[in-house]
Amino acid sequence: MSAGLNHAQLQAVHYVGGPCLVLAGAGSGKTRVITHKIAHLIEKGMPAKRIAAITFTNKAAAEMRERAKGLIGRAAKDVLICTFHALGVRMMREDGKVLGLKPQFSILDADDVAGILKDAAGGTADMATARQWQWTISKWKNMGLNAEQAEAAAADDNEKIIARVMQLYQERLAAYQSVDFDDLIGMPLKLLRDFPEVREKWQAALGHVLVDEYQDTNATQYEVLKHLVGERGRFTAVGDDDQSIYGWRGATLDNLKKLPVDFPELQVIKLEQNYRSTSAILRAANNVIGPNPKLFPKTLFSELGEGEPVRVVDADTEEHEAERAVARIQGLRETSPHKEWRSFAILYRANHQAKPFEKALRRANIPYKVSGGTSFFDRAEIRDLCAWFRLWINNDDDPAFLRAITTPKRGIGHTTLAKLGEFGTKYRQSLFASLFSSSLAASLPDRAMGSLAEFGRYINDLEYRARQTLGAEAAKGFLMDWLKEIGYEQYLHDGEDSEKVAAARWTNVLDFCDWMAQRCGGQVEDASGANPSAGTGELKSLLEVAQTVSLLSTISDREQDQDVVTLSTLHASKGLEWPHVVLVGVTEGMLPFKLDDDGGRQQVVSDETLHRLQEERRLMYVGITRAQRSLAVSWTRKKKKGREMVAAQPSRFIAEMGLDKATVREDPREKLRALRAEFARKAQVGAADAVAAEAAAGR
């Protein structure tokens, strides 16, 4: 079962006697090692249900599950393969009662959190301020701090205010039987740390824990791992300190430093053979990352050959840079074996850099997608509507209840909702079910009871009407009437400072209603009132269609199968690869991003600036190692600063790549023109030869 693994990979797979750190360089086959180690543990007699493999995204977990299934068949379904947060949910569902949580606790999304924070301040904060508080509170939670500890450690008066808001926020979460995303790590840690019986249960249940992308763990996640594995330390951490690029999100390399201290028997195994990139690309990557301090030194190598040299492309402006990037893609497509658009990617530091490249690709009629942006179905206004749909379908969905009853606001305040939450907890029933309890009147004033009862009746009425609504036109009419009844368009305009933004959000709502209606069958007019679209043919009720809304997340997953050029931020590109990559905007001030060291000319820089520079260098390293066969790095001589154009300098990272300057600079447009001229010449020669042959045959 271990056939095809190299020596280092085999070492990592076969070592099961204690704590193991696998330093997996870019493209070195880390997922292959993890899945083969799962298979090896099962071969050695460990039950599949006692193995946990933890990663950071649902997509990565799904891929790992599929690859494990290919090795061990149906046993893969018994292995706990999930994200850190999914593991946290499982622990809290099973054991959260000791923290006062019922198994059906609610998980709030970012919009719910911001709204509660805004209201917790008594209406003195706008949404932008609430978002800033949300970020700070998230940072504190990832550091393992509660509100009291955060206030004691506050750096200034503003942080003291945020810490007090955090206290009010936590009280409301408890009353609502709700948690936020960060609590899915913090609360499991509390369970493991403060309740020995819970800790012993989970340590006995898990015989071996594998952690993917270990370099991305934060302080709280490391503590969860420590308590899960206990002193026996039966775990395998797989990661790469050179690809740690999420410091702004709480990830810390200190977790790598702590491992050999906390687990003295730690076995360190390095995976240095890269199966992705050519030697020329890896040499540039090794050179760039070289100046960073090394916890565990390693050097990537490849047996795929030298390959094309890494190219440096300089341009006058961002528009000029975009033209050259597109010309390079067109030229490579004509000369390389990779003819599909999906073989090409343009990577950049920040989302706003995509615009000129989108324009250039459209002008050239090249299909593309922007990766790492917000999915249509993740927009706040779409999630608002989906919360109502979820409540129609499942009245016991408490997160949906809280979002629907407050979006738009219906004169029902947080005090009322808190008492409703306490009542539901006491009698172990959902918030919606609590509305119809005769005992609730003893806990609430008549006015609040009347508002809650009215909302409950309205939800039941909507559910009945949606069940009876068949066909596209009927569904469209129902949805528009409902949105008018709850005043949703006005709610959007009241909540936005910009009329333009509010109008754009309302257009999204209309588009979504069209999408829903079309799936009810028949025909429906689009948002403009014209151009009827064909529905599904078979008539379905609106309630039936609403039940499929939970499947919408799979839509974005199918985008990866499209034959399009990818535009992506460097952060979003991690874990992906393409035959041909153009890394753009590699100028000082962008990559690295706005450091306070005067372009590297200062002799002494602060520790904070140094750490930021090191993370930016790792980001450059990630970008370089996305490329399989060719890599071009481009920069501009001028860049926009406000409405002006100012001089720009190439990033220090270009010099650090150690390229041969005499051979690597090129103008892709000239190369493309030369290629097309050569193709035209050959076509003319071929035509002339054909005429001569025909004439000869005629004689």
Side-chain angles (χ1 to χ4, degrees), residues 616-647:
E616 293 290 307
R617 185 176 282 119
R618 294 193 291 270
L619 195 57
M620 179 73 175
Y621 174 85
V622 165
I624 293 171
T625 53
R626 298 313 92 197
Q628 297 172 320
R629 296 295 174 265
S630 82
L631 171 68
V633 177
S634 71
W635 64 282
T636 60
R637 299 181 184 280
K638 295 178 182 178
K639 62 181 179 181
K640 288 181 181 177
K641 189 174 183 180
R643 296 186 177 182
E644 297 181 358
M645 296 295 292
V646 298

Side-chain angles (χ1 to χ4, degrees), residues 133-167:
W133 291 349
Q134 185 177 357
W135 180 262
T136 303
I137 290 171
S138 176
K139 180 185 72 173
W140 285 338
K141 287 190 174 186
N142 285 330
M143 294 168 61
L145 302 179
N146 59 30
E148 185 178 335
Q149 292 166 330
E151 185 172 4
D156 51 37
D157 290 341
N158 183 53
E159 287 198 351
K160 288 184 182 295
I161 291 171
I162 299 173
R164 291 171 194 142
V165 172
M166 181 181 179
Q167 181 62 46

Side-chain angles (χ1 to χ4, degrees), residues 170-344:
Q170 288 302 127
E171 290 171 1
R172 291 188 175 181
L173 288 191
Y176 295 167
Q177 282 289 299
S178 298
V179 299
D180 61 27
F181 204 57
D182 299 308
D183 290 329
L184 300 181
I185 307 298
M187 285 188 169
L189 174 57
K190 187 174 178 63
L191 283 172
L192 294 169
R193 185 184 58 210
D194 299 347
F195 298 91
E197 67 281 8
V198 175
R199 181 170 63 249
E200 290 165 8
K201 166 192 166 181
W202 283 93
Q203 287 181 357
L206 299 179
H208 199 98
V209 179
L210 301 102
V211 181
D212 189 19
E213 302 287 10
Y214 177 75
Q215 76 282 347
D216 293 337
T217 55
N218 61 37
T220 310
Q221 288 163 333
Y222 177 66
E223 290 300 314
V224 168
L225 174 64
K226 273 181 60 180
H227 284 88
L228 275 177
V229 301
E231 292 183 1
R232 59 186 170 79
R234 299 234 175 131
F235 70 86
T236 302
V238 182
D240 182 6
D241 51 341
D242 290 334
Q243 295 188 74
S244 179
I245 59 174
Y246 293 111
W248 51 275
R249 208 166 63 186
T252 173
L253 284 175
D254 286 345
N255 290 351
L256 277 165
K257 296 176 185 176
K258 289 176 182 176
L259 277 180
V261 176
D262 292 339
F263 300 95
E265 303 301 317
L266 182 73
Q267 181 86 1
V268 179
I269 300 168
K270 300 177 186 178
L271 305 184
E272 297 175 288
Q273 182 170 355
N274 175 286
Y275 293 92
R276 174 188 300 160
S277 307
T278 62
S279 295
I281 293 170
L282 290 186
R283 188 163 54 250
N286 288 330
N287 288 342
V288 161
I289 205 66
N292 272 10
K294 299 291 184 185
L295 293 173
F296 306 95
K298 66 180 182 305
T299 302
L300 295 183
F301 68 92
S302 170
E303 295 182 353
L304 298 176
E306 176 65 16
E308 289 291 316
V310 176
R311 307 287 178 180
V312 175
V313 181
D314 54 346
D316 296 330
T317 64
E318 292 171 347
E319 288 72 21
H320 185 205
E321 181 181 37
E323 290 174 11
R324 288 192 159 191
V326 170
R328 176 176 175 82
I329 289 172
Q330 290 173 315
L332 283 169
R333 190 165 179 260
E334 291 183 14
T335 58
S336 81
H338 303 105
K339 303 299 183 185
E340 296 178 319
W341 293 118
R342 65 168 62 93
S343 300
F344 302 90

